[in-house]
Amino acid sequence: MSVSDPDPLARERDHLASSRAALRAMREDVEALDITNVTANWVNSVVLGRQIEERVKALADLSHTPLFFGRLDYLHTTQEGQRFYIGRRHVHDAVGDPMVIDWRAPVSQPYYQASKKDPQDVGLRRRFGYTAGELTAYEDEHLSDPQELERTSRLLQAEIERPRVGPMRDIVATIQPEQDGIVRSGLSGTVCVQGGPGTGKTAVGLHRVAYLLYAHRERLARTGTLVVGPNRSFLHYIEQVLPALGELEVKQATVDDLVGQVEVRGTDEAATAVVKGDARMAEVLRRAVRSHITLPKEPLMVVRGSRRWRVPAYELEEIVRELMDRDIRYGAAREALPQRIAHAVLVRMEQAGEAPDDRVQNTVARNTAVKAVVKECWPPVEPEKLVLRLLGDPEFLAEHAEGLLTEDEQKLLLWAKPARSVKTAKWSAADAVLIDEARDLVERTHSLGHVVLDEAQDLSPMQYRAVGRRCTTGSATILGDLAQGTTPWATASWAEALGHLGKPEAVVEELTAGFRVPREVIAYASRLLPHMSPGLAAVESVRENPGSLAVRRTESDTLDADVVAACAEALAHEGSIGLIAADARIAPLAEALTAAGLAYLSPGEETTAESRLTLVPATLAKGLEYDYVVLDEPAAVVDGEPDERTGLRRLYVALTRAVSGLTIVHAAPLPLQLES
């Protein structure tokens, strides 16, 4: 604290109040804009009106969210004597002087990166503590003072451990140096982040989007950004992070949403889904699409007025083969074919002394005879019908899977009872991905500027290809943990996954410092790693929280009651509570909670101060976090999966959802791997 400043906290509160007033004035200035006579037409007026509405929303002052969380006092250089308040967005006063600097601005970077060893010309770094939106504390670090010892920030620790109620929140106040380096990596490169539970990989990915939108707003406004999550519950959990940072234009979707061209009403056995998700299916589909192409056998005769123009079959064949050799999209080649044929006709017209122009070529391309050749040689292909035939016609599948899929694999693909039409087919999620691949073979998929893919370890090669198609001309942020792969087709290595994604040159970063899960809990869960993901580094938690783990053995006839009692005990603490159980155990636990008068939510429903307990099937727990977790019957979680490795990974996920405490209640013996 400064001796010359008798009441620094009051002064900081005054600055907070002034900053809120300035933000309110900025919002009012935008709301007062009159665009009545500004635009030339109603279309521009509507667009400008929407932009103003979005700007007003972005300038919202969220009372529960601190406007700034830190301060930097520089010593020399261009910032000499300057003081910057670091916050979630930029705020300026009436004359344009900054009152709060956006955390993404270059001048803010030392807030995250500066240290005693490398002060980066920062004399003082001040962190602020808040309670219910009110500034209540501050903490100073004199980075250029060699006499002051380096220490862990109590306010930083308190912010990390702050109870979680409601959706996921941003981490701008707690970003660590290794996280900041990933967040601020450039737009041109793809980054893959391998991070164990609690390392903040999801938050890093979301904050990287926010940073890129700040640094490359004009470009990404044109090309678009997308966050892809594993399920709707997860997307609902993270959906408020970017709006809280003032970013409202980022779309969110699951992989199923991306490929949702058909209604999914069926499911696949695991073995079938593995084959459908295999990268070899891409070549099977490519062969099937191109099998529709046939070489012309007859010459073409085009009649124009009193003249006839003949193109021999061999020349037509050369045109078709040339398009085939270029390996462009099937649909693009089909559109180019009549123009190529028309050009051949125009060459003959010019040789005969005529002077045809582009209009004549277009007319010839629309000639009935030319269109007949195109229809015969390069007929239209409908992706849904193509996949329908592959899955229902053994001979068609065998022809195009020869040398790629074994007979047993082909049998797995074939429907027991072929569907009659696209609409009556009981498509599975894996089928929808195949259709998306076929659609891209016919017509190029639109590419975005940047895509974030979270929980990436659970995708099949064909799903990676589907996501990769959405960023062929852009970049991506891939987030995941190989140890949490719980699908039969889970990723074996990031190098393999990035190859399927079409980004083999991506940089792989690893986060090993855990900030969410207490040390005692993560150490217990890490006992499973050698048995399910050998060679993967365990997370080293920075959080000491003695007594955060409790393992309770009970009897089968009192299991439900003891689990409910553990939930009631957890509810005595502040924050959110998650009761995680094997999917088969959800129904009996729901009945037990209701009988005990404990209200509960389902994943995706937002926790509030009144409703803090969520009943979570183990299959939906990934990516979620709760202050206190009660885990029911670990053996049932393992047994609920098709194989032991997947079961252990599912259990690993369930064990690592807690921020402050984990209570395990079991009647059956614990998996032997936890005893090692």
Side-chain angles (χ1 to χ4, degrees), residues 251-549:
K251 293 181 172 57
Q252 297 182 354
T254 64
V255 174
D256 290 345
D257 293 333
L258 295 183
V259 301
Q261 300 296 323
V262 293
E263 183 183 0
V264 174
R265 297 186 295 129
T267 56
D268 290 317
E269 294 292 333
T272 299
V274 168
V275 178
K276 288 182 178 179
D278 194 289
R280 291 172 294 168
M281 289 301 299
E283 177 60 20
V284 174
L285 288 164
R286 192 191 74 84
R287 291 179 183 180
V289 168
R290 294 178 70 82
S291 71
H292 291 76
I293 305 170
T294 58
L295 297 176
K297 303 298 183 184
E298 302 292 333
L300 167 70
M301 189 68 70
V302 175
V303 179
R304 280 184 54 80
S306 60
R307 302 293 300 270
R308 294 188 175 193
W309 308 99
R310 183 177 181 277
V311 180
Y314 75 85
E315 189 170 343
L316 294 174
E317 181 179 333
E318 289 176 357
I319 293 172
V320 171
R321 286 190 182 279
E322 191 271 333
L323 286 173
M324 290 174 65
D325 292 342
R326 288 185 60 192
D327 202 27
I328 59 178
R329 293 297 191 283
Y330 185 92
R334 188 173 188 276
E335 292 178 2
L337 181 56
Q339 290 290 337
R340 299 294 178 87
I341 295 173
H343 177 73
V345 174
L346 260 66
V347 168
R348 283 160 174 74
M349 291 181 179
E350 291 170 348
Q351 290 172 343
E354 296 189 15
D357 55 19
D358 290 344
R359 289 174 298 177
V360 174
Q361 179 166 328
N362 290 333
T363 300
V364 173
R366 295 192 297 269
N367 182 274
T368 302
V370 173
K371 292 198 298 188
V373 171
V374 172
K375 184 177 180 179
E376 178 69 25
C377 297
W378 215 291
V381 170
E382 296 182 35
E384 294 87 349
K385 290 185 177 179
L386 179 80
V387 176
L388 185 78
R389 187 179 176 190
L390 272 175
L391 300 179
D393 185 339
E395 293 183 1
F396 188 66
L397 175 62
E399 178 185 354
H400 303 300
E402 184 179 358
L404 293 172
L405 304 178
T406 65
E407 290 186 9
D408 288 341
E409 287 173 325
Q410 293 176 38
K411 289 177 182 177
L412 287 172
L413 291 179
L414 290 167
W415 285 328
K417 184 179 179 181
R420 293 184 177 181
S421 68
V422 169
K423 289 186 177 180
T424 61
K426 289 188 177 180
W427 299 108
S428 68
D431 296 336
V433 178
L434 296 179
I435 291 171
D436 190 71
E437 178 85 26
R439 186 175 299 279
D440 184 71
L441 289 166
V442 175
E443 182 179 347
R444 183 181 296 276
T445 303
H446 174 68
S447 176
L448 299 165
H450 193 78
V451 172
V452 174
L453 174 61
D454 205 353
E455 300 296 349
Q457 72 281 343
D458 279 332
L459 269 60
S460 70
M462 291 299 285
Q463 287 175 317
Y464 277 117
R465 291 176 62 87
V467 175
R469 284 192 283 278
R470 272 75 186 177
C471 54
T472 50
T473 58
S475 56
T477 302
I478 313 304
L479 312 166
D481 179 12
L482 296 178
Q484 296 185 59
T486 52
T487 56
W489 49 83
T491 301
S493 71
W494 289 124
E496 179 184 324
L498 292 167
H500 294 314
L501 192 75
K503 305 290 184 183
E505 76 291 346
V507 176
V508 179
E509 303 279 0
E510 187 169 8
L511 297 176
T512 57
F515 303 98
R516 172 171 57 80
V517 185
R519 185 173 299 173
E520 190 176 358
V521 174
I522 195 66
Y524 184 75
S526 295
R527 295 179 182 182
L528 300 175
L529 284 177
H531 306 282
M532 62 184 197
S533 297
L536 203 61
V539 172
E540 293 291 335
S541 178
V542 301
R543 292 184 53 217
E544 287 279 9
N545 194 359
S548 56
L549 174 66

Side-chain angles (χ1 to χ4, degrees), residues 67-87:
L67 198 55
F68 57 80
F69 47 82
R71 193 183 98 186
L72 289 176
D73 292 4
Y74 280 93
L75 292 174
H76 309 99
T77 67
T78 57
Q79 288 83 32
E80 182 174 358
Q82 284 192 285
R83 172 178 297 169
F84 296 101
Y85 287 83
I86 313 302

Side-chain angles (χ1 to χ4, degrees), residues 123-187:
L124 174 107
R125 174 167 56 199
R126 175 169 288 179
R127 302 183 191 275
F128 296 105
Y130 288 82
T131 302
E134 294 297 319
L135 200 163
T136 55
Y138 72 92
E139 193 176 70
D140 287 346
E141 295 174 86
H142 297 87
L143 297 179
S144 300
D145 182 359
Q147 303 302 316
E148 184 178 280
L149 298 176
E150 193 165 9
R151 63 187 186 277
T152 302
S153 167
R154 291 180 294 102
L155 291 180
L156 182 65
Q157 192 77 9
E159 173 63 22
I160 292 173
E161 297 177 1
R162 183 158 57 94
R164 287 153 167 74
V165 174
M168 181 181 177
R169 57 178 182 255
D170 65 67
I171 62 163
V172 286
T174 63
I175 293 173
Q176 301 299 297
E178 63 271 24
Q179 296 173 326
D180 187 66
I182 297 172
V183 166
R184 295 177 192 266
S185 54
L187 176 61

Side-chain angles (χ1 to χ4, degrees), residues 550-554 559 562 565-567 569 663-667:
V551 182
R552 300 175 183 174
R553 179 70 184 264
T554 187
L559 176 61
D562 290 338
C567 290
E569 185 180 317
T663 300
I664 299 171
V665 184
H666 68 102

Side-chain angles (χ1 to χ4, degrees), residues 69-117:
F69 47 82
R71 193 183 98 186
L72 289 176
D73 292 4
Y74 280 93
L75 292 174
H76 309 99
T77 67
T78 57
Q79 288 83 32
E80 182 174 358
Q82 284 192 285
R83 172 178 297 169
F84 296 101
Y85 287 83
I86 313 302
R88 286 164 173 78
R89 67 196 65 195
H90 176 84
V91 179
H92 61 255
D93 61 17
V95 296
D97 291 332
M99 300 190 71
V100 180
I101 299 292
D102 195 302
W103 65 277
R104 298 166 288 188
V107 75
S108 301
Q109 189 167 4
Y111 183 78
Y112 303 106
Q113 294 285 352
S115 65
K116 282 283 187 180
K117 293 181 179 178

Side-chain angles (χ1 to χ4, degrees), residues 604-653:
E605 295 181 318
E606 190 171 315
T607 55
T608 65
E610 294 74 30
S611 300
R612 299 185 289 121
L613 174 62
T614 303
L615 179 56
V616 187
T619 53
L620 294 182
K622 193 172 296 180
L624 305 180
E625 59 184 27
Y626 302 92
D627 289 291
Y628 291 87
V629 167
V630 176
L631 175 59
D632 168 84
E633 204 64 278
V637 174
V638 176
D639 293 343
E641 298 298 330
D643 60 81
E644 184 180 70
R645 189 194 73 163
T646 304
L648 292 175
R649 288 182 170 185
R650 186 75 70 189
L651 177 58
Y652 182 73
V653 171

